[in-house]
């Protein structure tokens, strides 16, 4: 899945969290971030802190890979 914006990134996090059976609170605890951060990340807030966003993605088992287009 190609992620083109914060909203798509947040949706991918939400979908994976739900598949794993985590609540937002549980995910926040295991990622050492606040519940508000998880909520805003899943909601597609474009100003989310990159380091925390990557930590959450890694915790739910999503890899971030970059490849050149074209």
């Amino acid at each position: 899945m190609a992620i083109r914006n914060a909203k798509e990134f947040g949706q991918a996090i939400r979908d994976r969290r739900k598949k794993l059976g985590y609540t937002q609170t549980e995910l926040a605890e295991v990622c050492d971030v606040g519940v508000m951060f998880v909520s805003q990340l899943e909601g597609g807030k474009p100003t989310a802190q990159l380091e925390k966003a990557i930590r959450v993605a890694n915790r739910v088992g999503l890899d971030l890979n970059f490849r050149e287009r074209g």
Side-chain angles (χ1 to χ4, degrees), residues 18-67:
K18 288 184 175 185
K19 184 176 182 179
L20 293 171
Y22 286 126
T23 65
Q24 285 185 340
T25 301
E26 291 168 334
L27 182 59
E29 288 174 4
V30 299
C31 294
D32 194 30
V33 298
V35 176
M36 181 66 74
F37 178 81
V38 172
S39 176
Q40 290 174 343
L41 182 64
E42 289 185 356
K45 183 177 179 183
T47 58
Q49 294 177 13
L50 183 58
E51 181 66 29
K52 287 182 181 179
I54 291 170
R55 185 183 324 150
V56 172
N58 286 327
R59 184 62 184 94
V60 296
L62 295 175
D63 291 326
L64 301 175
N65 298 302
F66 293 92
R67 64 171 195 248

